[in-house]
Amino acid sequence: MTENILSNIPTTLPEELTTVLQEGNGVRIERIVSTGHRSPDGFWYDQSEHEWVMVLQGAARLQFGHHVVELVMGDSINIPAHQKHRVEWTSPDEPTV
Amino acid sequence: MTENILSNIPTTLPEELTTVLQEGNGVRIERIVSTGHRSPDGFWYDQSEHEWVMVLQGAARLQFGHHVVELVMGDSINIPAHQKHRVEWTSPDEPTV
């Protein structure tokens, strides 16, 4: 009945791992695990969906234009649809969830 | 631009503290802090909204009928609309987020 989001986290992954935890009514809740992954140079996400992100473990740096935002445990950020962004860095030391 | 969900957590509260972090498009993201609070005896939530909950810190026990579910850090649970439930217990030792 419950699901622990910090369990069953691979320590190395060929690419970012996204798992859908819940979906419906126009909402999707995902767990994203990165083990040092970053967006390719020059790649920008341009999504039709709004995205609200929270870091549960590890650390990440998101780039918005020339601005870089660092996220550590507990940090959240709201990314409105079509706000271009990329994952500039994720921690190589532990999986970032 | 970022907001840390584990910052500015009161250690004692007269009652449960709910803060809306984001709202729109039929979705509301809330932070709920409990410092030992529980639902009154015989009280049951019967919500028209679906609720997905994750524990970031502390611990809680939710009651569904005669069934009690314990949630610790990283545990998540989906509570469909109108599934009656109550907060049977939250940790008295640290704020539960």
Side-chain angles (χ1 to χ4, degrees):
Chain A
M1 193 173 185
T2 66
E3 179 168 16
N4 193 288
I5 292 171
L6 297 175
S7 297
N8 303 317
I9 297 179
T11 51
T12 56
L13 288 163
E15 50 189 86
E16 208 178 67
L17 174 67
T18 300
T19 310
V20 176
L21 304 175
Q22 286 292 329
E23 192 167 18
N25 296 85
V27 182
R28 191 172 64 252
I29 302 172
E30 296 179 344
R31 181 184 82 165
I32 305 174
V33 179
S34 294
T35 55
H37 302 93
R38 55 192 293 280
S39 303
D41 288 338
F43 172 86
W44 295 90
Y45 288 101
D46 182 4
Q47 303 168 0
S48 60
E49 299 172 313
H50 303 295
E51 181 174 6
W52 183 88
V53 184
M54 173 173 49
V55 170
L56 297 184
Q57 176 184 295
R61 287 199 291 265
L62 300 183
Q63 186 178 354
F64 300 88
H66 295 291
H67 187 61
V68 172
V69 175
E70 177 144 334
L71 300 169
V72 298
M73 188 188 165
D75 280 338
S76 66
I77 190 168
N78 194 51
I79 307 174
H82 297 298
Q83 179 165 11
K84 289 184 186 172
H85 62 284
R86 54 190 298 281
V87 180
E88 203 260 329
W89 173 91
T90 58
S91 172
D93 302 325
E94 62 174 329
T96 297
V97 181
Chain B
M1 194 171 185
T2 66
E3 179 168 17
N4 194 289
I5 292 171
L6 297 175
S7 297
N8 304 316
I9 297 178
T11 51
T12 57
L13 287 163
E15 51 190 84
E16 207 178 67
L17 173 67
T18 300
T19 309
V20 176
L21 304 176
Q22 286 292 328
E23 193 167 18
N25 296 85
V27 182
R28 192 172 63 253
I29 302 172
E30 295 179 344
R31 182 184 82 165
I32 306 173
V33 179
S34 293
T35 55
H37 303 94
R38 55 192 293 279
S39 304
D41 287 341
F43 172 88
W44 295 90
Y45 289 99
D46 182 3
Q47 303 168 171
S48 60
E49 299 172 314
H50 303 296
E51 182 175 5
W52 184 87
V53 184
M54 174 174 47
V55 170
L56 296 185
Q57 176 185 294
R61 285 199 292 265
L62 300 184
Q63 186 176 356
F64 300 88
H66 296 291
H67 187 61
V68 173
V69 176
E70 176 145 334
L71 300 169
V72 297
M73 188 189 165
D75 279 339
S76 66
I77 190 167
N78 194 50
I79 307 173
H82 297 299
Q83 179 166 10
K84 290 183 187 172
H85 62 282
R86 56 189 297 280
V87 180
E88 203 260 329
W89 174 88
T90 57
S91 172
D93 301 324
E94 60 174 330
T96 296
V97 182

